[in-house]
Every structure is written in C-alpha cells, then in structure tokens.
Amino acid sequence: MTLTTAPVLPDAPAPANGPVVRAVVVTSGSHHGLRALLDALAASAARPDHVVVLDTSGADGSTTAADLVAAASTPSFRVEHVPLDARMPDRAAVTRWVRSADLGDDDLVWVLPVGCVPEPQALTRLLDAHRRSPSVGIVGPKHVDASDPGRLRSVGITATRTGRVVEDPPLGEPDQGQYDLRRDVIAVPLAGMLATATVLRVLGWERSFGDLGGDLDLGWRAQLAGHRVVVAPSARLRSVASLGLATATTPARRRAARRVALTRAPWWQAPLLALWVLLSSIVAGIGLLLLKRPRAAAQVLADLGSLDPVGGVLARVRTRGSRQLGHRDIGSLFVPGSLVVRRALDRAHEAVVAPARLPDEGARGDDSSSVARALTSPAVVAVVTVLAVVVAAGREIGGDLLGRLGSGVTGGELVASPATSGSLWSAAFDGWHGTGLGGDGPASPGLALLALPVWLVERLPGGSDVTSPAGALIGALLVLALPLAAVSAYASSRVLTTSRALRAVAAVLWATAGAAGASVAQGRLGALVALVLLPLVLGGVVLITRPKGTATGAFATALGAAVLGAFAPPLLALVVLLCVGVAVVGGAAARARALVVAVIGPLLLGPWLVDLADDWSLAATGPGLSQWTPTTVKPLALALLHPGGAGSTPWWVGAAVVAAGLLGLLAQRRVRSVSTGAAVLAVLSLAGVLVAPRLDLASGSVDPAGPVTPWVGTFMLPLTLALVAAAVLGAQSLAGRVRFAAVGGLVLVGAVSAGALGWFGFDAVLRTWSDPRPAVAVEQAGGELANRTVFVTPGPSGAAYRVVGRETGELARVLPQALVGDALLAEDVSGLLDGTRDDAGMRLAQQAVGFVAVAEGAGDDVARTLDSARGLSRLASRGGYDVWRIAALGTSTTRAVAPSRLTLVTGSDTSAVTTTGQHGATSATLTARDGDLLAVAEPTSWGRHATVELDGRELSPVADADRPTYALPAGEHRLTIEVEPERPWWRVLQGVAILVVAFLSIPFGTRAFRSRR
C-alpha cells in the first residue's frame, strides 16, 4: 500500500511563445543563502528569463551582494542587481520594483526571498499550474523544511471567513503526498509566489497587515478581483523557518489576519463580524483558562486588539478597486467553522481526559487476571493488613460499630454535639458562634472543611435519619483513618523508591507505629486528618524540588498544606520551615515552587491568621491536639515514639522504628536531598516532642485543672514519617544480599509494630454517642422554639454546668475558653439549685432555657428543691440525669408551650416567634400591636454581630435592656435576623483563592499536553 497520491492532471503543454518569467530575489542584511539560491535558479529545469536581485541591505552590504550577483551572472543566465532603500520590507520592495519596471501585463513575477531554495522542477510545475486556466493569477508552491525536506511547512494559506488562520498541515508533518490534490486556496505565502505582473501592480500588498496578513489580504482581494489563487503541491520549495509562513505564529500575526477579515468583509457584515470576534475571543479565552492553558488564552484574548475600525477603514480606502466576484463566490475557499469547532473540542477532550492506550501498548508479560494481580498487590496487602489491625485494636471501644457510624463517638478529646452541616458552617463563619449562649472568640478553620462532607452525609440514602451527621463522619474517620493513612503513605512513598515491597512496608509502619494508634484511641481529630494528609504533603514537597516538578504540583501541595494547617497548625508550620529551607538551598525553579507552598498554604487559612496574631498558642495546637492533664511519660520514652495514654504501643516498638531509621541514614553512601530533608525533619520533630510538655498554652487565660500543653503525638507524626523515609531510602541504596536482609528487617519491624497495636488495642476511652436530652428537648431545640437545655453536674467545690442548644462548637477540644455568654446563667443556676432565688426559673426562661438536667448523684435535696421551684415540672430521667421542664413566660392561653429564642412581648404576655437559624437568625412573619417588643434570648454583645430588620428597615435595640430587645410598630411585618459573618470581604477573597488554587491543582490531560501550556 502506498501513502502517496499521484497528480491527477497531466502536465500542460508549454506554448511556443509563453509569458516572460522574471525571478525577483529579495535580500537584506546578511546575504547568507543568496549564492545557493542563484545556483538553484541556474540549475532549474526551466530557467527564468530574467533574474533581478532586490538588495535592501543598504550601503554596507550592497557591495557584497553585487559581487555575488556578478559571480553568478553568465551570458545564458543574466542576473541584475538593484539596490533599494535599507531595511525596506520584502513586500514593499517587490511592489516598488513591479510598478517601476518595464513589465508586460502577461509577464510573470516569481518572488524568491533569500532563505528558500527551489527544487529543479519547481518553476516548471508552477508554470504548468498557471497555464491550466486563464483565470489563474497567483500560484504558490509546497514549502518543505530546508533542513529536513521530508517535513512540511505549508501548502497554501487556509483560514476561516472570520480571519482565523488554520494550521493545515501542522508544522513539521511528514510529507507523504497527502496534500498533493489541493488546488484552490484563499492565499499563498510570498516565498515562491508566481503571479502575473498585472495582479501585483494593481493589487499589491497592504503594508498595515504585515507579512502573513499581507499575503492573506492579497490572495483575498485577488480572488474577489477574478484572479484565482492556486497551489501547485508538485512544485517544492525548501524554506527556512522565517519563510513560507502559513500559520499565525505570533499574536501580531493573529490580529493582522483578523483585521484582514474585518476589512474585506461586506460593510454591512463588518459590525456583526466584529461582535463575533469579540464574543468568541472572550469565550475561547475563558475556556482555555479553564483548560489550564494560560499562554494560549492570552493569545486568544489578544485578538481583541484587531478591533480597530479606523485602521480597517484606512486599509479599505488604500486598496479600493474593481471587484468581479461576490463573497459568496469564494465561500468554498474558507475553512468551515464547524471544522474549527470540532478541532477545539478534540483539544479540550485531550486536555481533560488522557487518551486511552491502544491494545498493543503497555502489555503485561504475565497472563494473570486483574483480580489476581490486585489481590497480590503490595498496596492491597498493606491496606488489608492495617484494616485487620484496626478491627483487632478496636475490640474494646464501647458501643457497636453501626451505632458509631450512625451517631458518632464521644470520649477522649471528642466533644459530643448534634452537629449538622448548617451548624458547622455557622460556627466557622458567623461573628457570633459556638455552643450555649455563644461568643465571638476564634473558630477553628477545620469546621468549614468538615461542613462540606457532612452536607454530603446528610444527603446520602438514610442520611436524614442520622442523629448527628458530623458525629457519624468522625466515627467513620476513626474506623478508616489508619487504612487511609496506609493508602496515602503507599502513594507518596513513590518519591522514595520504585520497590513496591518497600512502599508497602512504609505504609504499614506509618499507619501503625508511633502516635498513630493514640490518635485514634484518644479521638484526636486533628491527628486523624494529619495521618492521611502528612505523607501526601511532604511527598509533594519532595516532588516540587525535583527537575520534573510542576507548578500544578506546587499548588496541589499548597492546598494540601492549607487543609493540614486547618486541623494541625503545628504541622503546617513544619511544612513551611521545610519549604523555606528548600527555597534557600534549591535552584530557581525549585525555589519558586517551594515559595508557592510556603506562602499560599498559610494564606488560604484567611482570617484565622488574625486570630493567630492575637493568640500565638493557636499555632501550637488544633482540634484534639491539646494535652489537658500533665504527661507522665519520660523524655526517653517520648523520643522512642511513645506518647502515653490510650492506644500507645510500648516504647520498644518505637525503638525498633527509630533504629531502622537511624540505620537507614547511616546506609546512605552519598548526600541526597531527600535523605537530608528526612534528617532535618526528624531533628525538628524531635525538638517539638521534647519541648511540647514544657509549653503551657493556658497561662494567662482560663485556669483549668492543670496546665494545657501541646500533645506530643502531634510532633511524633512527622518524626515517625521521617524515620520511615530514612529506613526506606537506606534499604533502597543497598545492593545484593545486604539489601535483601535490610528489607527483611523492615518487614519484621512492620510486623512487630502492627502486631503490637493490634494486641494492646485502643482501650475503651471512646464510646458511641447518644443524645442525653429527652426527645421533647431535642424537638424543641431543633424546631421553631430553638430553646436550650442546661446540664448540671454538682461537685465538691460547686456545680458545673453546660448549655446545649441547636448550635455547634468545636468537635474536639482545642484550648480552654472563657464562656462569657454562659457565665450569665451562673447566678440563676445556683439560685435554682439551692432555692435562694424564687425567680430563677423565670430568668432562665428569658434566656430560652426550656429544660434543666441535673446529674443523678446531686442528692435528694437538690431534687426536692427543683420539684418545688416555680415554673418547673419534672420529666422522666434519662442517661444518668434527672430532667425538669421550665414553663414559658406569660399568663395568656396563647403563649408558647415552652420558652423560645425569639419572643414577642405584649405587656405581661408573650408569644413565640419562629426561629429558623443559629443564634436567633430567622426569617418569619409576625403581627404586632402598639408597644410590642421583640426579645432575643442572647447576650447583649450579640447585637454587635447581628442585624435585625423589619420589612427591610434595620431596627436599633432598646437601651439598657438586659437582653437584645427591639420596639415594633403595629401591623403585620416581615422579620429578618441575620448573624453577620466575621470579616465578610476577607471570607469572599478566601473562598475565591481556594477555588483558584484548587483549579490550578488539577492536572489536565497527559504530561505532554501540559508541557505545551
């Protein structure tokens, strides 16, 4: 089978008295290639009748050109040297000569700039194409690469009606004769063009369109004037890169081609075409940005510079002339717009989806099934092993597994609450947030990140029946944290070794050694997230330091670092320190990518950085990463990866990991960036482990039972990862039997670590959570009343209480906080318990407290006091608490069944106002009479963070009220209460920045495609 196509038209017979052919050679500056071009003309099968060398090099180069012309000229091959103005453009030089020379109307001009060399049969075949029809005015050759004649440069110029130049054929495509049937085209390049003297004299080139645009414009006008423009593919011209242009290689050429279309279109179509160029450029630019091709998007958007009506009118005036054909007559010469759309869609598909492999690509050498290969994969074996360890270690956790997945868990560092996606979102962003009566203190940025997966949990089949969607998510994370950590470690360890066995060992060690078990057993939420993200983030830091690192990897690492910092700020600080170190010692590219991670990662945390500036201790802890009781573990045990507490494996397990890591560092035969980084990471982490127990985070604030310190296990996580990486690198660097023994030793250490965690287990600190409130209290808290429940636990030094409502606070303990809002109830709770205040129940009702639950161990005296208190009625006991119900205020029969968050006060009577959101936020309709008041059961400082509007008009609170109170006019009104977000504009910028970085983190298509962006 042949891939070439033979010409279907026979050679046209040459007339006895054919037209005179004048070859015009244009040279400027360096005359390199002039002699080769003249020699090629002399050796042509059909010589031109006259050769003219138009020299625009000026006085300095004119002598050299004249000498070359004199040497090439012979009696049978006459060459004339014509000096012109220095640096005159080629097209202007040809136009001046044609209009000044003594040429007949039928004479042919063959334009040959220096840098192209015609093959011997080129002129013969150009003349053949010209003789086939008297209407042919311009003929162009096929351009091939001068250094590789087997590759194409152009076969005419192809463009759409809107001036978009189409690269057809693609530059460098092999010449296999696939374009040899092409004939009529809209234009041909200047180099090699054979045109009648009449066409060049009358039409000429429009100087404002440049090179490619000028050629396109000349061909366009020639077609409209009745002169066909054809290409003769059998005539080959070898051209250098600057000649034979048929592609808009620069933004200026793209704009020039667009201006040609706007200028040559009918006057009534020009405005519509301009509008099309405007809209298509904007849409295409946005599409290319979405496909992560910023350079291409900039080029497309630069097409807007072609919308120059003044320049188009002037060009139209300068080139006005007779027109023989209409635009419809030449419509078939343009590339259809549908073809351009299909090509764009194909490119978009390539950008988003990598092409599938052909059947003969990537064939395996074995015949085993996919299932068998998956089951024997080291990755699967490692994950299954870790999952088995989790099942074995969790045998003592209280409650059943399904209960934990439905209601969540409590105990350890976890704070039980009926959290939903809405309450988490409010807790993260509202200026007034938190449990109970709330406050305006700092909120963990991790709450907003948890709100998104909780929202998905709520919309799963049966998700609406889950008691606490956030608790269910944390319960699932507790079960899956270590298997997910194994997957993460296996994937990220690719940067350390190509051995799948070593990667599997690294996954098992990371998921079972050090503080991993304690993270799960003690409910340390921040550590659970770090177990999954830390290997990926540190692996990303390693990748961006390598020559093949990409900007996409840097942005992905920055995004992962930000998520890691939202749950474990100390680890973000560690990542930033490592990136700064890379920026100091790395190359220019690695420095830029490292700075992207070091700067953008923290900035994505937004307003939390302001809270950090006010309280530095926030950087040393995170959700569940505080130690509220003094640690009794000795420094040596801490250095051996034993954090103490539930889930901690014995110190000798950590000693095996430490020994493996140190041996791995000693086995390194040369200094490597990764092993050096692992050593630095280990030293920094060890320093954090030893310093953490001596750092009191609660000094100067609320005084808890004892000092609050950072949990040492937080710093053990990167220490463990650094030791595992060092051990893997050391084993990878060995050879022969020594390497085999090292890998076997690592397998033994991994087996010991996994076995110890499974044997010693997670203990029974955690248990399945159940709401301690009665069903009626749960219903009223989540309904229109939105009231609260006070849980009281008497102790030897006084009663402690907590307030539970529909709001959510932190899901895991962070730092002690002063609950100023809840403290407002202290006097009333004490007066209610000891019976010293007869109006205590009424005052609690004003704060929307509908239920009081007292621990059963409080004694009979407390129970009798509450039984006799005014406005209280006893309910059934539940969950170790005796429960009393508080009646609503007022004497009217239409009052609410219980105290409510929003109350319409009419004299001594009250009625409930529907509450739909968190901390009094609502959108409801109410009917008021003269003198009515709206009372909000929130602290007075709540008013600084909330906006109360009636029919769109903002209300001001009544002065000197003990709670936010607002005077209402008579009539039916629409009430809107919004708790304003904290720093709203910064939040918007933060959200936009996260979306942009997430978009930049997505790798589209193949690596080859991404390299062309």
Side-chain angles (χ1 to χ4, degrees):
M1 182 177 113
T2 180
L3 296 178
T4 61
T5 55
V8 296
L9 298 176
D11 292 342
N17 296 317
V20 176
V21 179
R22 300 177 186 270
V24 178
V25 177
V26 187
T27 181
S28 63
S30 174
H31 302 295
H32 178 70
L34 176 59
R35 184 58 184 268
L37 175 56
L38 295 176
D39 290 345
L41 291 176
S44 295
R47 287 183 178 180
D49 299 287
H50 183 206
V51 178
V52 179
V53 178
L54 302 182
D55 185 6
T56 61
S57 59
D60 295 338
S62 180
T63 303
T64 304
D67 294 341
L68 292 174
V69 169
S73 182
T74 64
S76 60
F77 181 68
R78 186 166 57 91
V79 183
E80 179 184 356
H81 178 250
V82 179
L84 295 176
D85 296 341
R87 303 303 179 187
M88 178 181 290
D90 292 353
R91 289 159 184 80
V94 174
T95 301
R96 174 181 291 188
W97 179 82
V98 168
R99 290 175 176 173
S100 63
D102 184 15
L103 299 176
D105 292 341
D106 295 332
D107 288 356
L108 297 176
V109 178
W110 191 21
V111 184
L112 295 167
V114 171
C116 63
V117 177
E119 293 188 352
Q121 296 295 327
L123 180 57
T124 301
R125 289 165 181 170
L126 289 172
L127 291 171
D128 290 343
H130 181 266
R131 295 186 186 114
R132 295 191 187 282
S133 173
S135 63
V136 175
I138 299 177
V139 184
K142 175 197 294 182
H143 287 266
V144 296
D145 193 275
S147 59
D148 186 1
R151 296 194 175 274
L152 293 169
R153 292 192 56 80
S154 66
V155 187
I157 298 175
T158 55
T160 65
R161 191 182 297 274
T162 61
R164 181 184 294 277
V165 179
V166 179
E167 188 180 13
D168 186 27
L171 188 64
E173 181 178 348
D175 182 14
Q176 299 175 328
Q178 64 271 41
Y179 298 96
D180 285 357
L181 296 180
R182 180 174 290 180
R183 290 293 180 266
D184 287 88
V185 292
I186 188 61
V188 294
L190 168 74
M193 173 192 295
L194 181 70
T196 61
T198 302
V199 171
L200 296 183
R201 183 185 298 118
V202 175
L203 299 179
W205 284 272
E206 164 56 34
R207 62 180 181 270
S208 65
F209 292 140
D211 45 18
L212 176 65
D215 294 339
L216 177 62
D217 177 67
L218 174 62
W220 200 318
R221 287 186 289 119
Q223 296 280 10
L224 291 175
H227 304 288
R228 289 175 59 197
V229 180
V230 299
V231 66
S234 58
R236 290 164 49 95
L237 198 69
R238 302 184 182 186
S239 305
V240 296
S242 59
L243 300 179
L245 280 173
T247 304
T249 55
T250 64
R253 292 187 175 113
R254 289 173 58 95
R255 292 192 294 270
R258 290 288 199 181
R259 286 199 301 270
V260 170
L262 292 169
T263 303
R264 300 309 163 203
W267 65 268
W268 58 271
Q269 288 184 0
L272 298 177
L273 182 58
L275 180 61
W276 169 255
V277 172
L278 174 66
L279 296 179
S280 63
S281 298
I282 293 176
V283 171
I286 294 174
L288 288 169
L289 284 176
L290 294 178
L291 293 177
K292 303 180 71 172
R293 298 188 62 192
R295 287 195 294 268
Q299 292 175 358
V300 171
L301 292 174
D303 288 355
L304 298 177
S306 64
L307 303 177
D308 180 12
V310 176
V313 171
L314 294 177
R316 189 187 291 265
V317 171
R318 284 194 296 266
T319 57
R320 64 185 181 276
S322 59
R323 192 178 70 185
Q324 303 295 327
L325 301 177
H327 287 82
R328 290 185 178 180
D329 299 324
I330 65 172
S332 61
L333 300 176
F334 296 103
V335 176
S338 59
L339 177 61
V340 177
V341 173
R342 285 198 301 270
R343 288 187 176 182
L345 292 177
D346 290 341
R347 293 288 291 157
H349 183 270
E350 179 189 355
V352 177
V353 181
R357 288 187 175 185
L358 295 175
D360 58 344
E361 292 181 329
R364 292 181 176 270
D366 57 70
D367 298 329
S368 58
S369 66
S370 300
V371 175
R373 290 196 301 269
L375 293 178
T376 57
S377 169
V380 175
V381 172
V383 173
V384 171
T385 300
V386 173
L387 185 60
V389 170
V390 171
V391 173
R395 61 189 179 274
E396 296 180 3
I397 294 181
D400 60 288
L401 177 62
L402 295 179
R404 291 196 291 275
L405 295 180
S407 302
V409 291
T410 187
E413 299 300 313
L414 294 176
V415 178
S417 64
T420 63
S421 59
S423 64
L424 288 173
W425 196 260
S426 174
F429 293 119
D430 288 351
W432 190 266
H433 53 263
T435 58
L437 274 69
D440 55 1
S444 171
L447 293 175
L449 295 177
L450 286 174
L452 300 177
V454 169
W455 182 85
L456 295 176
V457 170
E458 292 170 346
R459 278 147 185 83
L460 292 175
S464 58
D465 298 329
V466 176
T467 305
S468 176
L473 178 68
I474 295 176
L477 183 59
L478 284 166
V479 175
L480 299 176
L482 296 186
L484 289 175
V487 174
S488 172
Y490 186 87
S492 61
S493 59
R494 182 182 291 271
V495 301
L496 303 177
T497 176
T498 58
S499 170
R500 300 173 72 192
L502 283 174
R503 285 157 56 190
V505 173
V508 173
L509 278 174
W510 165 246
T512 59
S519 301
V520 176
Q522 300 172 26
R524 299 189 180 273
L525 180 58
L528 298 179
V529 177
L531 279 170
V532 180
L533 288 182
L534 190 59
L536 297 176
V537 173
L538 293 180
V541 173
V542 174
L543 282 177
I544 63 176
T545 63
R546 294 184 173 177
K548 291 186 178 180
T550 62
T552 298
F555 284 110
T557 305
L559 185 63
V563 178
L564 179 65
F567 290 93
L571 300 184
L572 173 61
L574 197 59
V575 172
V576 170
L577 284 176
L578 291 177
C579 290
V580 170
V582 171
V584 171
V585 302
R591 181 182 302 114
R593 293 190 289 266
L595 289 177
V596 166
V597 179
V599 175
I600 293 182
L603 287 181
L604 290 180
L605 296 179
W608 182 81
L609 297 177
V610 178
D611 298 331
L612 181 62
D614 295 335
D615 185 3
W616 65 267
S617 61
L618 295 175
T621 184
L625 300 183
S626 302
Q627 185 72 32
W628 288 49
T629 56
T631 179
T632 57
V633 183
K634 296 182 179 180
L636 180 59
L638 294 177
L640 296 179
L641 310 181
H642 179 71
S648 299
T649 52
W651 62 266
W652 47 266
V653 176
V657 178
V658 172
L662 294 178
L663 290 175
L665 288 175
L666 294 176
Q668 296 293 313
R669 300 178 181 178
R670 58 186 178 89
V671 177
R672 299 174 57 185
S673 59
V674 179
S675 59
T676 303
V680 172
L681 178 63
V683 171
L684 293 176
S685 303
L686 181 59
V689 168
L690 298 177
V691 171
R694 295 170 173 78
L695 189 63
D696 187 3
L697 304 179
S699 59
S701 61
V702 179
D703 185 19
V708 176
T709 62
W711 182 53
V712 294
T714 305
F715 304 95
M716 284 183 186
L717 296 177
L719 176 58
T720 302
L721 195 60
L723 292 170
V724 171
V728 171
L729 285 171
Q732 177 74 11
S733 64
L734 300 174
R737 296 181 178 179
V738 178
R739 178 181 180 183
F740 181 80
V743 173
L746 282 179
V747 172
L748 179 61
V749 173
V752 169
S753 177
L757 180 58
W759 176 265
F760 291 100
F762 293 144
D763 295 337
V765 173
L766 303 179
R767 61 187 182 279
T768 302
W769 176 79
S770 63
D771 200 326
R773 294 175 295 176
V776 63
V778 174
E779 180 182 0
Q780 291 184 8
E784 296 181 352
L785 298 177
N787 59 25
R788 304 177 172 108
T789 300
V790 174
F791 287 88
V792 183
T793 305
S797 59
Y801 66 92
R802 59 187 177 95
V803 183
V804 178
R806 64 167 51 173
E807 291 79 17
T808 298
E810 296 289 348
L811 300 180
R813 290 195 301 182
V814 182
L815 289 174
Q817 295 182 0
L819 301 177
V820 179
D822 290 359
L824 298 176
L825 305 180
E827 184 178 350
D828 299 322
V829 172
S830 299
L832 183 66
L833 293 178
D834 58 20
T836 57
R837 296 201 60 161
D838 187 56
D839 61 344
M842 181 186 67
R843 292 176 58 83
L844 290 175
Q846 289 179 343
Q847 297 296 333
V849 176
F851 300 87
V852 175
V854 181
E856 293 179 347
D860 295 338
D861 293 340
V862 173
R864 283 192 295 268
T865 301
L866 293 179
D867 286 337
S868 60
R870 187 175 63 175
L872 270 68
S873 57
R874 188 162 186 165
L875 300 178
S877 300
R878 174 180 172 84
Y881 287 91
D882 295 327
V883 183
W884 282 264
R885 180 174 183 172
I886 299 180
L889 298 174
T891 58
S892 174
T893 58
T894 61
R895 73 181 189 277
V897 297
S900 62
R901 190 75 61 98
L902 301 177
T903 305
L904 184 63
V905 181
T906 305
S908 60
D909 291 330
T910 62
S911 59
V913 177
T914 300
T915 305
T916 58
Q918 309 290 315
H919 283 294
T922 192
S923 179
T925 300
L926 55 80
T927 302
R929 293 178 291 182
D930 287 334
D932 282 3
L933 300 174
L934 174 69
V936 183
E938 300 287 350
T940 54
S941 53
W942 167 90
R944 296 196 299 268
H945 303 274
T947 301
V948 181
E949 293 183 348
L950 201 68
D951 298 329
R953 181 174 59 88
E954 185 173 354
L955 301 179
S956 299
V958 176
D960 299 329
D962 59 352
R963 53 180 173 164
T965 305
Y966 302 85
L968 303 177
E972 183 174 332
H973 306 284
R974 187 65 183 176
L975 173 68
T976 303
I977 299 179
E978 293 184 359
V979 181
E980 300 294 337
E982 188 178 20
R983 305 180 183 95
W985 285 109
W986 196 342
R987 293 294 186 186
V988 172
L989 294 176
Q990 180 188 16
V992 172
I994 290 174
L995 291 177
V996 171
V997 174
F999 169 73
L1000 295 175
S1001 304
I1002 303 173
F1004 282 170
T1006 61
R1007 180 180 292 272
F1009 176 87
R1010 296 194 295 271
S1011 66
R1012 297 194 295 266
R1013 289 201 296 265

